[in-house]
Protein backbone atom coordinates (compact mmCIF):
# COMPACT_ATOMS: atom_id res chain seq x y z
CA UNK A 1 0.00 0.00 0.00
CA UNK A 2 1.63 3.33 -1.05
CA UNK A 3 2.37 5.74 1.75
CA UNK A 4 0.67 9.11 1.82
CA UNK A 5 2.58 12.18 0.73
CA UNK A 6 4.05 14.18 3.62
CA UNK A 7 2.55 17.64 4.16
CA UNK A 8 4.14 20.38 2.09
CA UNK A 9 5.97 23.33 3.57
CA UNK A 10 3.04 25.65 2.88
CA UNK A 11 0.66 23.31 4.71
CA UNK A 12 2.99 23.17 7.70
CA UNK A 13 3.12 26.97 7.76
CA UNK A 14 -0.67 27.21 7.53
CA UNK A 15 -1.05 24.81 10.45
CA UNK A 16 1.49 26.77 12.49
CA UNK A 17 -0.27 30.06 11.72
CA UNK A 18 -3.65 28.57 12.70
CA UNK A 19 -2.20 27.31 15.98
CA UNK A 20 -0.68 30.72 16.72
CA UNK A 21 -3.97 32.47 15.98
CA UNK A 22 -5.78 30.12 18.35
CA UNK A 23 -3.16 30.73 21.03
CA UNK A 24 -3.43 34.50 20.55
CA UNK A 25 -7.22 34.34 20.88
CA UNK A 26 -6.90 32.34 24.08
CA UNK A 27 -4.38 34.83 25.48
CA UNK A 28 -6.71 37.75 24.66
CA UNK A 29 -9.55 36.05 26.50
CA UNK A 30 -7.29 35.42 29.51
CA UNK A 31 -6.12 39.04 29.44
CA UNK A 32 -9.69 40.33 29.45
CA UNK A 33 -10.58 38.12 32.43
CA UNK A 34 -7.48 39.09 34.41
CA UNK A 35 -7.97 42.79 33.64
CA UNK A 36 -11.59 42.76 34.80
CA UNK A 37 -10.59 40.96 37.99
CA UNK A 38 -7.85 43.48 38.76
CA UNK A 39 -10.02 46.51 38.01
CA UNK A 40 -12.78 45.44 40.40
CA UNK A 41 -10.48 44.40 43.25
CA UNK A 42 -10.80 46.54 46.45
CA UNK A 43 -7.06 47.14 46.51
CA UNK A 44 -7.21 48.57 42.98
CA UNK A 45 -10.06 50.89 43.96
CA UNK A 46 -7.96 52.19 46.88
CA UNK A 47 -4.99 52.88 44.63
CA UNK A 48 -7.12 54.71 42.07
CA UNK A 49 -8.52 57.18 44.60
CA UNK A 50 -7.11 60.71 44.19
CA UNK A 51 -4.26 61.49 46.54
CA UNK A 52 -2.54 64.72 47.54
CA UNK A 53 0.67 63.63 45.84
CA UNK A 54 -0.92 63.31 42.42
CA UNK A 55 -3.31 66.29 42.36
CA UNK A 56 -0.85 68.45 40.49
CA UNK A 57 -0.21 65.87 37.79
CA UNK A 58 -2.66 66.27 34.93
CA UNK A 59 -1.29 63.20 33.14
CA UNK A 60 -1.79 61.02 36.20
CA UNK A 61 -5.30 62.38 36.73
CA UNK A 62 -6.22 61.72 33.11
CA UNK A 63 -4.92 58.15 33.21
CA UNK A 64 -6.64 57.55 36.56
CA UNK A 65 -9.92 58.85 35.16
CA UNK A 66 -9.76 56.46 32.22
CA UNK A 67 -9.00 53.51 34.47
CA UNK A 68 -11.77 54.52 36.89
CA UNK A 69 -14.25 54.71 33.99
CA UNK A 70 -13.34 51.20 32.88
CA UNK A 71 -13.55 50.01 36.48
CA UNK A 72 -17.06 51.44 36.87
CA UNK A 73 -18.16 49.74 33.64
CA UNK A 74 -16.81 46.42 34.90
CA UNK A 75 -18.49 46.82 38.29
CA UNK A 76 -21.80 47.57 36.56
CA UNK A 77 -21.36 44.48 34.40
CA UNK A 78 -20.63 42.32 37.45
CA UNK A 79 -23.72 43.71 39.17
CA UNK A 80 -25.81 42.88 36.12
CA UNK A 81 -24.45 39.31 36.02
CA UNK A 82 -25.10 38.88 39.74
CA UNK A 83 -28.68 40.05 39.28
CA UNK A 84 -29.22 37.68 36.36
CA UNK A 85 -27.85 34.77 38.42
CA UNK A 86 -29.89 35.50 41.56
CA UNK A 87 -33.08 36.52 39.71
CA UNK A 88 -33.33 33.85 37.03
CA UNK A 89 -36.98 34.76 36.34
CA UNK A 90 -38.19 38.35 36.08
CA UNK A 91 -41.52 39.86 35.10
CA UNK A 92 -42.25 43.08 33.23
CA UNK A 93 -45.14 44.86 31.56
CA UNK A 94 -45.32 45.78 27.88
CA UNK A 95 -47.98 47.36 25.71
CA UNK A 96 -49.19 45.82 22.46
CA UNK A 97 -49.44 48.66 19.89
CA UNK A 98 -52.12 46.81 17.94
CA UNK A 99 -55.33 48.91 18.26
CA UNK A 100 -57.37 45.68 18.21
CA UNK A 101 -55.36 43.97 20.94
CA UNK A 102 -57.30 42.38 23.79
CA UNK A 103 -57.38 43.97 27.24
CA UNK A 104 -56.28 47.31 25.85
CA UNK A 105 -52.93 45.89 24.75
CA UNK A 106 -51.72 45.12 28.28
CA UNK A 107 -49.23 42.24 28.25
CA UNK A 108 -47.33 40.58 31.09
CA UNK A 109 -43.88 39.34 30.14
CA UNK A 110 -41.75 36.67 31.83
CA UNK A 111 -38.02 36.52 31.20
CA UNK A 112 -36.10 33.28 31.90
CA UNK A 113 -32.32 33.45 32.26
CA UNK A 114 -30.26 30.40 31.27
CA UNK A 115 -26.55 29.82 31.77
CA UNK A 116 -24.36 27.21 30.08
CA UNK A 117 -20.60 26.64 30.44
CA UNK A 118 -20.27 29.77 32.57
CA UNK A 119 -21.95 32.01 30.00
CA UNK A 120 -25.43 33.47 29.75
CA UNK A 121 -27.46 32.27 26.81
CA UNK A 122 -30.14 34.26 25.06
CA UNK A 123 -33.06 34.61 27.51
CA UNK A 124 -36.42 33.00 26.83
CA UNK A 125 -39.59 35.10 26.94
CA UNK A 126 -43.22 34.22 27.60
CA UNK A 127 -45.92 36.85 27.04
CA UNK A 128 -49.33 36.57 28.68
CA UNK A 129 -52.53 38.58 28.26
CA UNK A 130 -56.12 38.56 29.53
CA UNK A 131 -58.43 37.78 26.59
CA UNK A 132 -61.43 36.64 28.65
CA UNK A 133 -64.03 39.41 29.18
CA UNK A 134 -65.03 39.76 32.81
CA UNK A 135 -62.16 37.56 34.02
CA UNK A 136 -58.60 38.20 35.11
CA UNK A 137 -57.37 34.82 33.91
CA UNK A 138 -54.15 34.82 31.92
CA UNK A 139 -53.41 33.09 28.61
CA UNK A 140 -50.20 32.46 26.65
CA UNK A 141 -49.92 35.19 24.02
CA UNK A 142 -46.41 34.75 22.58
CA UNK A 143 -43.25 32.93 23.55
CA UNK A 144 -39.70 32.17 22.36
CA UNK A 145 -39.34 28.71 23.92
CA UNK A 146 -38.04 25.75 21.89
CA UNK A 147 -40.56 23.05 20.81
CA UNK A 148 -39.10 20.61 23.34
CA UNK A 149 -40.63 22.56 26.24
CA UNK A 150 -44.19 21.29 27.00
CA UNK A 151 -45.61 24.80 27.30
CA UNK A 152 -49.22 23.98 26.25
CA UNK A 153 -49.45 21.21 28.84
CA UNK A 154 -48.05 23.39 31.62
CA UNK A 155 -50.42 26.22 30.70
CA UNK A 156 -53.42 23.86 30.69
CA UNK A 157 -52.43 22.55 34.12
CA UNK A 158 -51.53 25.77 35.91
CA UNK A 159 -53.27 28.47 33.84
CA UNK A 160 -56.61 26.88 32.91
CA UNK A 161 -59.14 28.98 31.02
CA UNK A 162 -62.35 29.99 32.86
CA UNK A 163 -65.47 27.91 32.36
CA UNK A 164 -68.57 30.09 31.98
CA UNK A 165 -71.02 27.28 32.75
CA UNK A 166 -69.21 26.12 35.90
CA UNK A 167 -70.33 27.15 39.39
CA UNK A 168 -66.84 26.76 40.81
CA UNK A 169 -64.35 29.43 39.70
CA UNK A 170 -61.22 28.16 38.00
CA UNK A 171 -58.05 29.05 39.90
CA UNK A 172 -54.77 29.85 38.20
CA UNK A 173 -51.34 29.52 39.80
CA UNK A 174 -48.89 31.78 37.97
CA UNK A 175 -46.14 31.21 40.51
CA UNK A 176 -46.25 27.43 40.12
CA UNK A 177 -46.47 27.76 36.34
CA UNK A 178 -43.33 29.92 36.32
CA UNK A 179 -41.35 27.61 38.60
CA UNK A 180 -42.36 24.49 36.67
CA UNK A 181 -41.55 26.12 33.33
CA UNK A 182 -38.18 27.23 34.62
CA UNK A 183 -37.41 23.66 35.73
CA UNK A 184 -38.35 22.28 32.29
CA UNK A 185 -36.06 24.80 30.57
CA UNK A 186 -33.15 23.85 32.84
CA UNK A 187 -33.80 20.16 32.25
CA UNK A 188 -33.75 20.69 28.49
CA UNK A 189 -30.41 22.46 28.59
CA UNK A 190 -29.01 19.82 30.93
CA UNK A 191 -29.85 17.18 28.33
CA UNK A 192 -28.16 19.25 25.63
CA UNK A 193 -25.14 19.52 27.89
CA UNK A 194 -24.97 15.74 28.27
CA UNK A 195 -24.51 15.35 24.51
CA UNK A 196 -21.82 18.05 24.48
CA UNK A 197 -20.00 16.45 27.43
CA UNK A 198 -20.05 13.06 25.71
CA UNK A 199 -18.64 14.53 22.49
CA UNK A 200 -15.94 16.32 24.43
CA UNK A 201 -15.13 13.29 26.59
CA UNK A 202 -14.67 11.05 23.55
CA UNK A 203 -12.35 13.61 21.95
CA UNK A 204 -14.07 13.53 18.57
CA UNK A 205 -12.45 16.81 17.49
CA UNK A 206 -8.99 15.42 18.15
CA UNK A 207 -9.23 12.22 16.09
CA UNK A 208 -8.18 11.89 12.47
CA UNK A 209 -9.08 9.25 9.90
CA UNK A 210 -5.70 7.55 10.37
CA UNK A 211 -6.26 7.08 14.11
CA UNK A 212 -9.69 5.43 13.87
CA UNK A 213 -10.49 1.81 14.61
CA UNK A 214 -13.80 0.03 13.86
CA UNK A 215 -14.85 0.46 17.50
CA UNK A 216 -14.19 4.20 17.57
CA UNK A 217 -17.17 6.57 17.63
CA UNK A 218 -17.02 9.19 14.88
CA UNK A 219 -20.25 11.10 15.47
CA UNK A 220 -22.40 12.10 18.45
CA UNK A 221 -25.58 14.14 18.12
CA UNK A 222 -29.10 14.77 19.37
CA UNK A 223 -31.58 12.28 17.88
CA UNK A 224 -34.95 13.78 18.86
CA UNK A 225 -36.53 17.17 19.36
CA UNK A 226 -36.72 16.78 23.16
CA UNK A 227 -33.00 15.93 23.39
CA UNK A 228 -33.78 12.76 25.31
CA UNK A 229 -31.90 10.51 22.89
CA UNK A 230 -28.29 10.75 21.75
CA UNK A 231 -27.30 9.26 18.41
CA UNK A 232 -23.96 7.44 18.18
CA UNK A 233 -22.15 6.41 14.99
CA UNK A 234 -19.16 4.05 14.92
CA UNK A 235 -16.38 3.99 12.34
CA UNK A 236 -17.69 0.67 10.96
CA UNK A 237 -21.14 2.29 10.35
CA UNK A 238 -22.82 0.80 13.40
CA UNK A 239 -25.22 3.15 15.15
CA UNK A 240 -26.53 3.47 18.67
CA UNK A 241 -28.92 5.32 20.93
CA UNK A 242 -28.51 6.59 24.47
CA UNK A 243 -31.91 7.13 26.08
CA UNK A 244 -32.18 9.64 28.94
CA UNK A 245 -34.91 10.75 31.32
CA UNK A 246 -36.10 14.33 31.79
CA UNK A 247 -33.12 15.21 34.01
CA UNK A 248 -30.49 13.82 31.62
CA UNK A 249 -29.87 10.58 33.54
CA UNK A 250 -28.95 7.67 31.28
CA UNK A 251 -31.64 4.97 31.16
CA UNK A 252 -30.30 2.57 28.53
CA UNK A 253 -27.97 2.18 25.58
CA UNK A 254 -28.74 0.17 22.44
CA UNK A 255 -26.60 -0.61 19.37
CA UNK A 256 -27.72 -1.39 15.81
CA UNK A 257 -25.71 -3.03 13.05
CA UNK A 258 -26.29 -3.46 9.34
CA UNK A 259 -28.66 -6.37 9.98
CA UNK A 260 -30.60 -4.85 12.84
CA UNK A 261 -30.08 -4.93 16.59
CA UNK A 262 -26.50 -5.70 17.61
CA UNK A 263 -27.17 -7.71 20.74
CA UNK A 264 -23.55 -8.66 21.34
CA UNK A 265 -22.27 -5.08 21.42
CA UNK A 266 -25.32 -3.93 23.37
CA UNK A 267 -24.64 -6.60 26.00
CA UNK A 268 -20.97 -5.63 26.18
CA UNK A 269 -21.81 -1.96 26.67
CA UNK A 270 -24.75 -2.52 29.01
CA UNK A 271 -24.44 -1.51 32.64
CA UNK A 272 -25.71 0.84 35.31
CA UNK A 273 -24.82 4.38 34.32
CA UNK A 274 -25.39 7.12 36.88
CA UNK A 275 -23.61 9.81 34.86
CA UNK A 276 -22.61 10.42 31.27
CA UNK A 277 -18.96 10.13 32.36
CA UNK A 278 -19.63 6.44 33.06
CA UNK A 279 -20.89 5.98 29.50
CA UNK A 280 -17.85 7.81 28.13
CA UNK A 281 -15.47 5.60 30.08
CA UNK A 282 -17.26 2.46 28.91
CA UNK A 283 -17.16 3.53 25.26
CA UNK A 284 -13.46 4.38 25.51
CA UNK A 285 -12.69 0.98 27.03
CA UNK A 286 -14.71 -0.69 24.28
CA UNK A 287 -12.78 1.21 21.59
CA UNK A 288 -9.45 0.16 23.08
CA UNK A 289 -10.52 -3.48 23.07
Amino acid sequence: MPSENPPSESELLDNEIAALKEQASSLRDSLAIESSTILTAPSTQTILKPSALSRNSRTADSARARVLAESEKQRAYFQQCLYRICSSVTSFKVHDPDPNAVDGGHVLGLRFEIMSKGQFLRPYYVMLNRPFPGHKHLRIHRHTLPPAIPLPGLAARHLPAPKPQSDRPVQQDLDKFTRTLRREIVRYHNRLGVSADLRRGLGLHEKTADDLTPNDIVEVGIADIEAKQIRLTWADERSGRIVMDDDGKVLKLVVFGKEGRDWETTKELSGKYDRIEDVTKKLQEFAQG
Side-chain angles (χ1 to χ4, degrees):
M1 184 176 179
S3 58
E4 296 182 0
N5 295 328
S8 62
E9 185 176 354
S10 61
E11 292 177 346
L12 293 175
L13 288 175
D14 290 341
N15 294 336
E16 185 176 356
I17 291 173
L20 290 174
K21 287 182 177 179
E22 184 178 356
Q23 183 180 5
S25 177
S26 177
L27 290 175
R28 283 194 293 268
D29 294 340
S30 300
L31 178 62
I33 295 174
E34 296 295 338
S35 299
S36 63
T37 303
I38 294 173
L39 286 174
T40 55
S43 57
T44 305
Q45 298 296 318
T46 303
I47 295 174
L48 293 176
K49 290 181 179 180
S51 60
L53 298 177
S54 61
R55 287 176 181 174
N56 297 327
S57 177
R58 294 183 178 181
T59 304
D61 289 343
S62 177
R64 182 180 293 105
R66 291 196 301 269
V67 176
L68 278 173
E70 291 297 326
S71 177
E72 290 300 324
K73 290 181 181 179
Q74 196 62 39
R75 290 180 62 184
Y77 175 73
F78 278 3
Q79 185 178 7
Q80 179 187 9
C81 292
L82 181 62
Y83 181 80
R84 295 178 71 179
I85 292 173
C86 298
S87 302
S88 57
V89 181
T90 53
S91 62
F92 55 93
K93 293 181 179 180
V94 293
H95 184 266
D96 191 344
D98 186 355
N100 299 320
V102 299
D103 193 27
H106 298 288
V107 178
L108 174 65
L110 299 176
R111 173 187 171 120
F112 296 85
E113 297 285 357
I114 296 296
M115 178 180 285
S116 177
K117 298 180 182 178
Q119 295 181 345
F120 287 105
L121 304 180
R122 179 177 296 181
Y124 293 112
Y125 294 91
V126 176
M127 305 296 179
L128 306 104
N129 59 11
R130 291 173 172 170
F132 309 105
H135 296 276
K136 293 186 178 181
H137 290 69
L138 296 169
R139 185 191 65 176
I140 303 296
H141 178 52
R142 294 285 189 274
H143 69 87
T144 63
L145 299 174
I149 306 300
L151 182 61
L154 296 178
R157 185 183 309 166
H158 303 295
L159 301 177
K163 299 179 181 179
Q165 305 299 332
S166 177
D167 297 334
R168 299 180 59 184
V170 177
Q171 299 294 331
Q172 291 187 336
D173 194 337
L174 181 60
D175 180 66
K176 193 170 184 180
F177 167 78
T178 304
R179 288 187 284 108
T180 306
L181 181 56
R182 161 73 180 172
R183 183 170 64 250
E184 291 295 332
I185 295 174
V186 172
R187 284 177 168 179
Y188 171 69
H189 280 275
N190 286 343
R191 296 194 297 270
L192 293 178
V194 169
S195 175
D197 291 341
L198 178 60
R199 190 182 301 108
R200 191 182 308 108
L202 294 174
L204 298 186
H205 302 292
E206 303 172 359
K207 295 181 180 180
T208 61
D210 298 334
D211 301 331
L212 295 177
T213 65
N215 290 333
D216 278 325
I217 293 180
V218 296
E219 184 180 355
V220 174
I222 299 298
D224 65 324
I225 194 173
E226 293 183 336
K228 291 184 179 181
Q229 296 186 19
I230 300 177
R231 180 183 66 255
L232 306 176
T233 303
W234 275 266
D236 59 358
E237 298 184 356
R238 284 176 297 175
S239 63
R241 288 287 190 278
I242 296 177
V243 183
M244 302 179 292
D245 60 7
D246 293 338
D247 296 316
K249 184 178 180 181
V250 178
L251 298 178
K252 63 179 179 179
L253 189 155
V254 294
V255 182
F256 300 92
K258 296 181 179 180
E259 300 179 357
R261 186 80 170 265
D262 189 341
W263 293 100
E264 182 178 352
T265 306
T266 301
K267 183 178 181 180
E268 189 171 353
L269 293 176
S270 62
K272 184 179 180 181
Y273 304 112
D274 295 329
R275 303 181 304 164
I276 195 61
E277 289 81 4
D278 300 331
V279 179
T280 304
K281 183 178 180 181
K282 191 72 173 182
L283 292 173
Q284 289 174 338
E285 294 175 351
F286 177 73
Q288 295 173 0

